[in-house]
């Protein structure tokens, strides 16, 4: 559409391209029209979109339309829709539950991108991963192994061993009453044969998780033309990761690292089976055990080494091809597994009811290792070498486990004192260098959790993974335990019956670590509930958030506006709440692991007897301890059941709404917009399709048929997460060598989170140096206004460090340094709209320097509501602030 705003300048063709975010607003709402007046954009015979994402425009111009309107709709990229039939809804429920299962992998991916890294054209993928990449990838590998251990506990320990007990008669077995009759055939097998028969269960669980990623991999894949264009510009270099050309190029799910995760899962299954078989055939079992352990170590080492680059090389000779080495390691794992099956099937059936000790210990070891890696993740941004930090912490944790377990007691008090000294020295060697290095970082206040972001994300992934593993083990264990109760009728009562346990009844023993982590969940739920109540009291009191002041036109609704401002500010304390929660997780996980170690070592040392004695003193004898134990089990199971019901309810509710919402809502958007770099089975990245598509559409408009069109302009209007996609698309244009086009683009953002969320969580991607805007400190935990006094500078952004030579967003858009803080208002190139009642919308420059030349405050009452209603995160487009900002950007262009 041709336009000459206010009669100034030549006749221009301005494309107003609207991109929405978290709400994934339908295109007709973005354009302010009806579905009948909506069409997908065509360029010649090419349709610019499909049923997942694309560009839409009105069929006929809208009243007062000054530009060519288009809307980029990408909402179906992170949804699963297979129709509204019964089977379609069931499919969506299963799909959503699967996404909950891989949520910990998504947090590992967020931890990977929260680290410090920089571009390096010599590396495949164009990024030097920096410190912590190997730690995060090992953390992801252990998350996979935790899933394997949880399923193995059920298949091997609970079912194959504990649910089949000898009766004392030859070839006669007692079977768990709760087991389906399909398992009765396993009675004819020996213990080793049953274990071999069920050994596929944990391997299939990992394969199914990988297939879940494959489903979305095709949906989100970068278009072939966009990928080729990016790969042709690999020689371009910039100091900002968003300007790396191949950053948004989709890689297949069957990556070499994915093959290694499957290989490691097979190795863990072999280790579990052969550890159990040592007492029955020591020679063959020990050989396979050593072989599988060595192979697992090699796989872990390769995973860590491959962390030096984001993507595997596209071109490599045979002996340097990662796919070849991954295939060889997977083939070796398969051969070892076959040998394990043959060995298990041929073993004698001595001690068929002995405990499956390996299944009891393995989850504990994995969770200890996960805790160590998550703690190391807290220090990697400071510059502390990841391997030195991990070595120091590992030695300290090993010494602590020895002390807690009491294994040094036979050596006397001096040995324990020495071990405690090692623990203290390791703690000092871990904490002091971190504190010194952190203080040297002048930008630490601009980073979430003072630079501990990777560790916080890893702790969140750890606690969710532990909950899912505990839910599997405790849920199935409780189901199997229910079968031990026998009912006998009580003739005296027509309504109730007595439940009795016959003498000699066998109980199902779920590994202690799963009970302990269920207890962690109880403590976390109690803590978070109490903390939120305190915050609600302090943050939702009748205090007034008066910055900015309520507009005089809405003064009559000031009371309603103040109430919504307080509730929105309450929701903006996510960062300090997660900070506190990560401390709680760290402490409770450590205590629960210590509890687990003491209980599992109760037959070796007397540490557990101390705990029992203390409990007897507190609860008045064995009866009181038994009552407390029963209550603790009830509390743990209740918490796990409620958590599982919450997950299932969310999955069902999502399916009931025709799949319009995302399984994890905002949390899902935070995880799935990032390229999958830490865990091969994590959430697929919708940005890998959306960002190149947006950049391509802008290029198509500004350079039709590949030829410059000087009269054409783009007004990029982005909302919420759409701003993340839009800004990434602008950097992608620069990475493709199209920086000259950016002078013909102007940016209108509203309801965005670049500065306080994405800029703080992922500084290398959206930090102050990248955006060219001042940073902001963490929100206050206790005050009614969490952002009061948190601006880190209302002046021009300091010059980048000598090692940083990238071009920030403001320079790409040709905005002079300091233009946002000028008292006079120059011709704007970027305008940001926000409301104080918007729980997800923030200023781009400052809270305190109002007004400024970047931020405009939109009115806080809904502009088109029939009844008076306070506006929050949506509906910016009909506001007068949007219309005025758009006209201001068009004037003089």
């Amino acid at each position: 559409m041709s336009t000459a705003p206010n009669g100034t300048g030549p006749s221009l063709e301005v494309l107003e391209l609207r991109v929405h975010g978290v709400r994934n607003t339908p295109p007709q709402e973005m354009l302010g029209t009806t579905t009948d007046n909506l069409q997908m954009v065509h360029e010649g015979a090419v349709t610019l979109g499909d049923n997942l994402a694309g560009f839409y425009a009105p069929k006929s111009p809208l009243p007062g339309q000054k530009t060519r309107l288009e809307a980029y709709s990408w909402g179906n990229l992170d949804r699963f829709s297979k129709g509204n039939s019964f089977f379609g809804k069931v499919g969506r429920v299963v799909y959503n539950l699967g996404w909950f299962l891989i949520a910990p992998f998504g947090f590992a991916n967020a931890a990977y991108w929260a680290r410090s890294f920089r571009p390096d054209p010599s590396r495949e993928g164009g990024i030097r991963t920096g410190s912590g990449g190997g730690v995060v990838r090992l953390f992801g590998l252990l998350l996979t192994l935790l899933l394997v251990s949880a399923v193995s506990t059920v298949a091997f320990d609970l079912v194959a061993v504990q649910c089949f007990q000898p009766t004392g008669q030859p070839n006669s077995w007692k079977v768990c009453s709760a087991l389906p009759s399909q398992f009765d055939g396993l009675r004819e097998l020996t213990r080793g044969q049953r274990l071999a028969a069920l050994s596929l269960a944990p391997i299939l669980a990992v394969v199914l998780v990988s297939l879940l990623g494959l489903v979305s991999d095709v949906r989100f894949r970068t278009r072939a033309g966009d990928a080729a264009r990016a790969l042709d510009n690999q020689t371009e270099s910039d100091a900002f990761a968003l300007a790396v050309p191949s950053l948004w190029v989709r890689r297949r799910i069957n990556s070499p690292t994915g093959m290694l995760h499957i290989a490691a899962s097979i190795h863990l299954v072999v280790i579990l089976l052969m550890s159990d078989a040592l007492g029955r055939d020591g020679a063959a079992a020990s050989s396979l055990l050593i072989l599988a352990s060595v192979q697992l170590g090699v796989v872990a080492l390769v995973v860590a080494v491959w962390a030096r680059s984001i993507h595997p090389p596209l071109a490599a000779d045979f002996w340097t091809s990662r796919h070849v080495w991954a295939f060889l390691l997977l083939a070796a794992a398969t051969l070892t597994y076959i040998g394990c099956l043959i060995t298990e099937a041929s073993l004698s059936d001595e001690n068929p009811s002995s405990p499956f000790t390996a299944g009891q210990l393995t989850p504990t070891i994995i969770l200890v290792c996960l805790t160590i890696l998550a703690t190391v993740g807290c220090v990697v941004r400071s510059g502390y070498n990841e391997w030195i930090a991990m070595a120091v912490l590992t030695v300290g944790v090993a010494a602590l486990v020895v002390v807690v377990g009491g294994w040094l007691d036979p050596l006397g008090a001096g040995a324990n004192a020495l071990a405690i000294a090692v623990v203290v020295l390791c703690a000092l060697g871990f904490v002091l260098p971190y504190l010194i290095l952190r203080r040297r970082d002048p930008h630490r206040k601009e980073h979430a959790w003072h630079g501990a972001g990777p560790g916080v994300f890893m702790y969140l992934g750890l606690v969710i993974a532990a909950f899912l593993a505990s839910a599997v083990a405790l849920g199935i264990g409780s189901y199997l335990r229910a079968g031990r109760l026998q009912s006998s009728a009580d003739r005296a009562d027509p309504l109730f019956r007595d439940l009795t346990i016959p003498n000699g009844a066998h109980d199902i023993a779920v590994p202690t670590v799963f009970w302990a982590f269920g207890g962690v969940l109880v403590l976390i739920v109690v803590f978070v509930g109490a903390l939120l109540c305190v915050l609600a009291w302090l943050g939702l009191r009748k205090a007034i958030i008066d910055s900015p002041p309520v507009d005089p036109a809405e003064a009559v609704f000031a009371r309603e506006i103040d109430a919504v401002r307080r509730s929105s500010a309450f929701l903006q304390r996510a960062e300090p709440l997660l900070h506190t929660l990560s401390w709680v997780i760290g402490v409770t996980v450590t205590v629960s692991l210590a509890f687990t170690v003491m209980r599992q070592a109760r037959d070796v040392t007397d540490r557990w007897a101390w705990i029992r004695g203390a409990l007897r003193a507190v609860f008045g004898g064995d009866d009181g301890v038994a009552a407390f134990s029963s209550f603790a089990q009830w509390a743990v199971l209740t918490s796990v059941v409620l958590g599982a019901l919450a997950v299932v309810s969310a999955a069902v509710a999502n399916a009931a709404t025709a799949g319009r919402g995302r399984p994890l809502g905002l949390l899902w958007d935070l995880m799935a917009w990032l390229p999958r770099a830490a865990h091969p089975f994590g959430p697929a990245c919708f940005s890998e399709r959306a960002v190149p598509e947006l950049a391509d559409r802008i290029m198509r408009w500004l350079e039709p048929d590949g030829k410059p069109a000087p009269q054409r302009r783009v007004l990029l209007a982005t909302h919420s997460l759409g701003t993340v996609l839009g800004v990434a698309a602008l950097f992608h244009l620069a990475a493709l060598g199209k920086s000259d086009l950016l002078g013909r683009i102007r940016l209108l953002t509203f309801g965005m989170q670049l500065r306080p969320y994405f800029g703080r969580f992922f500084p290398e991607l959206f930090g102050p140096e990248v955006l060219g805007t001042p940073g902001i400190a963490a929100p206050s935990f206790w005050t009614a206004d969490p952002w009061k006094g948190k601006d880190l500078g209302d002046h021009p952004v300091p010059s980048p460090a000598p090692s940083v030579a990238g071009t920030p967003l403001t320079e790409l858009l040709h905005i002079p340094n300091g233009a946002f803080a000028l008292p006079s208002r120059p011709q704007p190139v970027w305008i940001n709209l926000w409301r104080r009642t918007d729980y997800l919308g923030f200023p781009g420059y400052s809270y305190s320097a109002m007004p400024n030349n970047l931020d405009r405050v939109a009115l806080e009452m809904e502009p088109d509501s029939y009844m008076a209603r306070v506006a929050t995160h949506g509906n910016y487009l009909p506001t007068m602030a949007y219309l005025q900002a758009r006209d201001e950007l068009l004037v003089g262009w």
Side-chain angles (χ1 to χ4, degrees):
M1 175 175 289
S2 297
T3 179
N6 290 357
T8 60
S11 180
L12 301 178
E13 296 178 60
V14 179
L15 170 63
E16 183 179 343
L17 181 56
R18 296 176 177 176
V19 186
H20 273 226
V22 172
R23 292 181 60 200
N24 302 131
T25 310
Q28 63 271 17
E29 294 185 22
M30 284 192 270
L31 298 174
T33 186
T34 62
T35 53
D36 296 335
N37 190 37
L38 189 70
Q39 63 180 354
M40 188 166 281
V41 176
H42 290 73
E43 190 168 278
V46 178
T47 302
L48 302 183
D50 56 20
N51 62 323
L52 297 177
F55 297 88
Y56 293 83
K59 292 179 181 178
S60 56
L62 305 178
Q65 183 175 331
K66 300 180 180 181
T67 59
R68 173 184 171 83
L69 274 177
E70 289 185 12
Y72 178 63
S73 176
W74 57 276
N76 287 330
L77 286 179
D78 61 348
R79 296 179 184 136
F80 179 81
S81 179
K82 291 293 182 182
N84 291 321
S85 64
F86 171 78
F87 292 105
K89 292 181 182 294
V90 171
R92 279 197 296 274
V93 170
V94 175
Y95 181 83
N96 292 339
L97 290 176
W99 282 127
F100 279 105
L101 186 64
I102 65 174
F105 307 158
F107 278 113
N109 198 45
Y112 189 92
W113 291 104
R115 297 175 306 105
S116 178
F117 52 86
R118 61 183 177 85
D120 183 353
S122 66
R123 295 291 179 91
E124 180 66 31
I127 289 180
R128 181 181 293 274
T129 57
S131 180
V135 165
V136 178
R137 287 202 175 178
L138 286 177
F139 181 84
L141 178 64
L142 285 174
L143 287 178
T144 301
L145 297 184
L146 180 61
L147 171 64
V148 174
S149 70
V151 179
S152 297
T153 294
V154 172
F156 299 159
D157 190 6
L158 304 189
V159 175
V161 174
Q162 296 192 53
C163 268
F164 289 85
Q165 294 295 309
T167 61
Q169 301 295 325
N171 300 322
S172 177
W173 300 86
K174 293 189 297 183
V175 182
C176 283
S177 302
L179 272 183
S181 59
Q182 287 80 1
F183 286 84
D184 288 351
L186 297 178
R187 291 180 300 177
E188 308 299 325
L189 306 179
T190 64
R191 171 177 172 140
Q193 291 169 347
R194 280 198 303 274
L195 289 170
L198 295 176
S199 63
L200 275 178
I203 300 173
L204 287 177
V206 175
V207 172
L208 289 175
V209 169
S210 69
L211 291 177
L212 182 63
L214 183 63
V215 170
S216 60
D217 180 64
V218 178
R219 296 157 60 88
F220 295 179
R221 184 168 296 167
T222 313
R223 296 184 306 166
D226 293 331
R229 183 190 291 128
L231 296 176
D232 289 342
N233 285 274
Q234 287 301 301
T235 57
E236 295 292 328
S237 176
D238 197 283
F240 296 142
L242 286 180
V244 172
S246 63
L247 179 65
W248 305 111
V249 175
R250 153 67 71 211
R251 292 298 202 268
R252 293 175 298 171
I253 185 66
N254 56 340
S255 66
T257 307
M259 297 169 69
L260 293 184
H261 277 240
I262 296 176
S265 302
I266 296 174
H267 289 317
L268 182 59
V269 170
V270 174
I271 290 171
L272 289 172
L273 294 179
M274 293 298 94
S275 297
D276 180 67
L278 283 176
R280 289 173 283 161
D281 189 345
S286 60
S287 299
L288 285 171
L289 177 62
I290 294 173
L291 178 61
S293 301
V294 171
Q295 289 178 334
L296 180 58
V298 171
V299 169
L301 179 63
V302 172
V303 167
V305 171
W306 284 358
R308 296 177 67 245
S309 60
I310 299 294
H311 297 311
L314 293 175
D317 59 43
F318 181 84
W319 293 111
T320 59
S321 172
R322 291 188 180 182
H323 284 88
V324 170
W325 286 105
F327 174 79
L328 292 176
L329 290 172
L330 181 59
T334 303
L335 292 176
T336 305
Y337 174 64
I338 293 173
C340 168
L341 295 183
I342 296 173
T343 301
E344 276 286 3
S346 60
L347 291 179
S348 63
D349 207 18
E350 296 178 6
N351 300 320
S353 59
S354 61
F356 193 82
T357 308
Q360 301 279 337
L361 295 177
T362 302
T364 306
I365 296 172
I366 292 175
L367 285 166
V368 169
C369 294
L370 284 170
T371 305
I372 291 174
L373 293 176
T375 307
V376 172
C378 293
V379 305
V380 293
R381 278 198 66 90
S382 69
Y384 200 148
N385 182 276
E386 56 184 314
W387 305 116
I388 295 177
M390 187 167 70
V392 170
L393 199 59
T394 301
V395 171
V397 169
L400 181 62
V401 169
V402 170
V403 171
V404 170
W407 283 287
L408 294 179
D409 289 353
L411 301 179
N416 278 320
L418 179 60
I420 293 174
V422 171
V423 173
V424 173
L425 289 176
C426 289
L428 293 175
F430 183 83
V431 174
L432 291 181
Y434 163 62
L435 294 177
I436 294 171
L437 290 170
R438 191 184 73 172
R439 288 185 62 84
R440 294 177 181 175
D441 182 7
H443 302 290
R444 64 184 182 277
K445 290 185 178 180
E446 299 170 358
H447 303 159
W449 306 293
H450 293 277
V456 172
F457 284 126
M458 291 164 77
Y459 268 120
L460 292 175
L462 166 61
V463 75
I464 294 178
F467 159 70
L468 293 173
S470 298
V472 169
L474 292 177
I476 297 180
S478 297
Y479 168 74
L480 295 176
R481 294 176 74 197
R484 64 183 170 83
L485 296 178
Q486 305 295 323
S487 61
S488 59
D490 184 357
R491 302 300 180 184
D493 194 321
L495 184 60
F496 296 99
R497 68 184 181 203
D498 289 333
L499 294 179
T500 60
I501 303 175
N503 293 331
H506 176 69
D507 200 0
I508 300 297
V510 178
T512 306
V513 68
F514 295 118
W515 286 105
F517 268 81
V520 167
L521 180 64
V522 174
L523 295 176
I524 290 174
V525 169
V526 171
F527 173 81
V528 171
L531 186 61
L532 289 178
C533 290
V534 173
L535 286 178
W537 169 253
L538 294 175
L540 295 181
R541 292 177 301 173
K542 295 183 178 180
I544 302 298
I545 300 178
D546 55 1
S547 176
V550 175
D551 191 276
E554 298 178 331
V556 67
F557 301 110
R559 184 173 180 179
E560 291 82 357
I561 290 174
D562 287 338
V564 177
R565 283 187 174 190
R566 288 193 297 272
S567 62
S568 294
F570 177 74
L571 298 175
Q572 292 168 1
R573 292 179 170 85
E575 182 183 332
L577 180 62
L578 289 178
H579 191 184
T580 306
L581 183 60
S582 65
W583 275 101
V584 174
I585 292 172
V587 172
T588 53
V589 164
T590 302
V591 171
S592 67
L593 288 174
F595 172 85
T596 302
V597 169
M598 285 188 289
R599 191 173 191 279
Q600 291 183 335
R602 62 187 181 275
D603 296 331
V604 180
T605 69
D606 59 354
R607 290 287 192 274
W608 184 249
W610 296 359
I611 301 295
R612 294 282 300 181
L615 291 176
R616 290 192 190 98
V618 172
F619 296 102
D622 290 335
D623 292 339
V625 172
F628 171 75
S629 177
S630 299
F631 172 78
Q633 290 189 31
W634 172 86
V636 169
L637 286 175
T638 300
S639 296
V640 171
V641 168
L642 291 178
L645 286 177
V647 170
V648 174
S649 299
V652 173
N654 173 267
T657 58
R660 289 188 56 83
R662 294 154 317 281
L664 294 176
L666 176 62
L667 202 58
W668 190 250
D669 289 324
L670 182 66
M671 294 187 294
W673 76 274
L674 294 159
R676 183 167 46 195
H679 199 293
F681 310 145
C685 172
F686 51 78
S687 304
E688 288 173 324
R689 172 173 172 175
V691 171
E693 277 187 356
L694 281 170
D696 178 72
R697 179 58 187 139
I698 293 172
M699 283 190 290
R700 283 175 180 267
W701 175 258
L702 296 178
E703 293 183 336
D705 300 321
K707 300 176 182 178
Q711 79 282 5
R712 289 195 167 190
R713 305 286 190 271
V714 172
L715 174 59
L716 186 60
T718 61
H719 170 249
S720 193
L721 193 63
T723 302
V724 173
L725 300 178
V727 170
L730 297 180
F731 276 100
H732 192 59
L733 284 173
L736 298 177
K738 298 293 183 179
S739 298
D740 57 310
L741 299 181
L742 296 172
R744 291 190 276 149
I745 299 173
R746 289 183 178 173
L747 185 61
L748 177 54
T749 58
F750 41 100
M752 74 167 188
Q753 311 92 33
L754 288 184
R755 187 167 171 245
Y757 285 174
F758 290 93
R760 289 182 56 78
F761 297 160
F762 311 106
E764 272 61 35
L765 296 173
F766 290 104
E769 290 181 339
V770 181
L771 297 180
T773 56
I776 189 170
S780 172
F781 202 74
W782 303 108
T783 59
D785 183 355
W787 302 106
K788 188 173 183 179
K790 296 302 179 178
D791 285 317
L792 294 179
D794 301 324
H795 306 291
V797 181
S799 299
S803 61
V804 177
T807 304
L809 176 65
T810 50
E811 290 188 25
L812 291 177
L813 296 175
H814 304 284
I815 301 173
N817 191 20
F820 296 143
L822 292 175
S824 60
R825 179 168 294 181
Q827 172 62 43
V829 179
W830 176 13
I831 294 177
N832 176 63
L833 307 179
W834 72 292
R835 305 181 179 106
R836 201 59 203 258
T837 52
D838 186 346
Y839 52 88
L840 275 179
F842 302 89
Y845 181 77
S846 173
Y847 274 95
S848 55
M850 298 294 296
N852 61 67
N853 293 323
L854 174 59
D855 302 310
R856 309 281 192 276
V857 179
L859 293 180
E860 295 171 283
M861 299 300 294
E862 288 284 6
D864 54 3
S865 177
Y866 178 66
M867 299 293 288
R869 186 159 56 94
V870 180
T872 54
H873 188 50
N875 214 22
Y876 279 89
L877 293 173
T879 63
M880 187 60 65
Y882 180 87
L883 301 176
Q884 291 174 347
R886 183 191 61 184
D887 291 345
E888 194 173 344
L889 288 169
L890 294 176
V891 166
W893 205 357

